[in-house]
Amino acid sequence: MRPIRVAVVGAGPAGIYAADILTKEYEAASVDVFDRLPAPYGLVRYGVAPDHPRIKEIIKALRNVLSKDAIRFVGNVDFGTDVKLEDLRQFYDAVVFATGAIFDRDLDIPGIDLEGSFGAADFVSWFDGHPDYPRDWPLTATSVAVLGAGNVALDVARMLAKPADEQLGTEIADNVYQGLKANQATDVHVFARRGPAQIKFSPMELRELSHSPSVDVVVQEEDFQIDDAGQAAIQKTKSVRLVVDTLLKYAEAEPTGAPHRIHIHMCHNPVEVLGEDGKVVALRTERTELDGTGNAVGTGEFVDTPVQAVYRAVGYRSSPLPEVPFDDTDHVIPNAGGRVLDLDGQHVPGTYCTGWVKRGPVGLIGHTKSDAAETISNLIADLESTPAPEQTDPEAVLRHLADRGVDFTTWDDWVRLDAHEVSLGEAAGRERIKVVPREDMIQHSRG
């Protein structure tokens, strides 16, 4: 076993799992995990709603990995700007790209670019305190449409409907709390193109909508369509059965008169965002019917729902990286088992990928571990034919960054920043208040 050094670009779960698996499977490996942000954890930190502490608990396991002697965190380093692929090749035997998918997929319907139309991923980044996003968000709409049938759509709906004071026990950033406190939304409409057996909500997330005493969940019984494919899915899959049962309970429940309402509209396909004076005034949907196979077809009946804001939650997409092949159709790095492929379908030596940038934005965080295992297995198998890098001194890459004027952060810097955030939360009687601006993150990480 010859000593090897590997660079992982991206410090979210995908990158951290890859580093963990590699150092366990190949004892002579050391790994540097780079991230564009000064702080680690990726979408666990900046993509999970603050009122989901159970999911954020995974940070404890990720922290244990990054604390290992064989793994080093290097933050505030932008791949393609601060360091290039040709630079990394000088210092590492292999490079693994784990940059995830943080941008909204496009939705090509008329009016989607009107003022008041937003991407759900952008909104999620705002309420999670992502340093690249503004500290304020326009929350003047009283009626809002959310387009999508997954958990991100539920997160957006819940954050818009639940009163801000119910978030005080979470790690919500103070500017986000103040923004949500001024939120004027009373009705949030979630639109799904197909029926209850095809909807992609997880049972726990769906049940959670009714946990707030300030929110009624409204489901119209006429939206309940279950075809043969739906019946088969209900009988075969427990999670589908639980989702359908929960939706049915919502449909049968009497309204409590709560001041906020989440309306779930099934078999409604968004076809146009209507506007006046350049601003959103309504969403037009076409009623659909299921065709027996689980697919939906239009009926020609259209419904206009008055709203002043629209959030599209139709999926995430990855973005291309400099010098790295990219599939602009599927928004992934072309690969075979994690081996990066060039335009001719040949492996680009020493380059690999894992996570959503490898397979697309599908699956839960747990799926990322098996995905990383496949990539690392192929990386190790390729080592015999992989030449050693020119420079093997672990400090050489840090000197290279410093010479370029890169103000990178280290694991010790992150530990200090994390302690600062916790102290802010304790001072306010809360779990944590995040420091949002990037310059503040760097300042406090330096102590």
Side-chain angles (χ1 to χ4, degrees):
M1 238 185 217
R2 68 177 174 88
I4 64 168
R5 302 193 67 246
V6 173
V8 174
V9 180
I16 296 174
Y17 283 145
D20 186 36
I21 293 169
L22 176 58
T23 53
K24 287 177 177 176
E25 296 292 326
Y26 197 94
E27 294 180 1
S30 60
V31 182
D32 285 348
V33 182
F34 293 88
D35 202 273
R36 188 177 63 84
L37 297 178
Y41 308 136
L43 278 181
V44 178
R45 177 174 167 91
Y46 293 117
V48 176
D51 60 349
H52 278 173
R54 179 185 59 83
I55 299 176
K56 287 181 177 285
E57 283 291 300
I58 194 176
I59 282 179
K60 294 180 180 178
L62 300 179
R63 181 169 57 225
N64 289 338
V65 174
L66 289 179
S67 299
K68 293 171 64 172
D69 291 339
I71 298 174
R72 184 168 62 177
F73 171 70
V74 187
N76 207 42
V77 177
D78 186 15
F79 177 81
T81 302
D82 298 326
V83 66
K84 299 179 180 179
L85 179 57
E86 62 187 54
D87 299 328
L88 295 180
R89 290 185 184 279
Q90 299 178 43
F91 306 108
Y92 300 98
D93 296 82
V95 180
V96 179
F97 296 101
T99 48
I102 64 172
F103 299 105
D104 287 286
R105 280 188 174 270
D106 295 330
L107 180 62
D108 187 17
I109 61 174
I112 198 65
D113 294 325
L114 287 167
E115 182 180 341
S117 177
F118 307 100
D122 290 339
F123 184 55
V124 170
S125 293
W126 173 76
F127 68 58
D128 271 325
H130 195 295
D132 287 349
Y133 287 78
R135 296 177 64 86
D136 300 316
W137 191 272
L139 293 168
T140 58
T142 58
S143 185
V144 179
V146 181
L147 316 182
N151 286 341
V152 174
L154 292 187
D155 282 348
V156 171
R158 191 181 66 255
M159 293 295 289
L160 289 169
K162 186 193 296 188
D165 284 350
E166 294 183 25
Q167 300 275 7
L168 284 175
T170 75
E171 63 170 30
I172 192 170
D174 190 60
N175 67 291
V176 178
Y177 165 71
Q178 297 298 336
L180 292 175
K181 196 171 183 179
N183 176 29
Q184 298 181 34
T186 58
D187 290 87
V188 180
H189 300 265
V190 181
F191 292 90
R193 184 173 58 86
R194 296 188 292 171
Q198 291 82 30
I199 215 158
K200 298 301 181 183
F201 303 148
S202 67
M204 184 177 297
E205 295 258 358
L206 183 59
R207 289 194 298 264
E208 189 180 2
L209 294 183
S210 63
H211 290 178
S212 170
S214 302
V215 178
D216 276 338
V217 182
V218 181
V219 175
Q220 301 298 330
E221 290 190 17
E222 58 263 32
D223 288 349
F224 252 82
Q225 294 185 36
I226 299 178
D227 61 359
D228 292 342
Q231 285 288 2
I234 291 170
Q235 294 173 7
K236 180 181 179 181
T237 308
K238 180 180 179 181
S239 61
V240 174
R241 184 167 63 252
L242 291 173
V243 166
V244 173
D245 287 347
T246 302
L247 289 168
L248 188 58
K249 289 177 182 177
Y250 286 149
E252 295 172 342
E254 291 292 330
T256 67
H260 304 273
R261 290 159 295 279
I262 296 176
H263 308 260
I264 299 178
H265 304 272
M266 292 170 288
C267 294
H268 280 259
N269 183 35
V271 295
E272 184 175 0
V273 180
L274 305 179
E276 290 181 5
D277 299 324
K279 298 180 180 180
V280 172
V281 297
L283 175 74
R284 177 166 294 169
T285 58
E286 182 182 12
R287 287 190 177 275
T288 64
E289 59 184 13
L290 302 179
D291 65 1
T293 68
N295 292 316
V297 295
T299 65
E301 178 185 353
F302 296 90
V303 179
D304 291 350
T305 304
V307 296
Q308 300 84 47
V310 172
Y311 291 80
R312 67 183 188 279
V314 295
Y316 288 86
R317 64 172 175 84
S318 299
S319 56
L321 297 166
E323 306 175 86
V324 181
F326 194 75
D327 183 336
D328 290 310
T329 300
D330 294 331
H331 303 289
V332 295
I333 294 175
N335 69 93
R339 294 182 174 102
V340 175
L341 303 180
D342 63 18
L343 293 176
D344 297 321
Q346 300 300 310
H347 178 210
V348 180
T351 60
Y352 302 84
C353 58
T354 189
W356 280 2
V357 78
K358 169 187 174 184
R359 69 180 191 275
V362 293
L364 303 175
I365 292 173
H367 294 98
T368 304
K369 189 172 291 187
S370 58
D371 191 44
E374 178 188 51
T375 295
I376 295 306
S377 175
N378 287 329
L379 186 156
I380 293 174
D382 294 341
L383 285 176
E384 287 187 9
S385 59
T386 302
E390 298 175 12
Q391 303 190 50
T392 57
D393 178 4
E395 301 304 312
V397 66
L398 300 184
R399 290 193 295 268
H400 176 81
L401 292 171
D403 290 343
R404 292 180 62 92
V406 180
D407 190 15
F408 61 86
T409 58
T410 66
W411 179 248
D412 288 341
D413 293 333
W414 159 244
V415 170
R416 283 192 289 271
L417 173 60
D418 188 49
H420 174 70
E421 291 181 348
V422 172
S423 70
L424 290 177
E426 291 173 345
R430 293 163 51 197
E431 182 179 343
R432 174 180 294 173
I433 299 177
K434 290 179 183 171
V435 178
V436 179
R438 181 188 291 259
E439 58 271 18
D440 284 3
M441 296 177 76
I442 297 295
Q443 175 185 348
H444 290 291
S445 72
R446 300 288 189 251

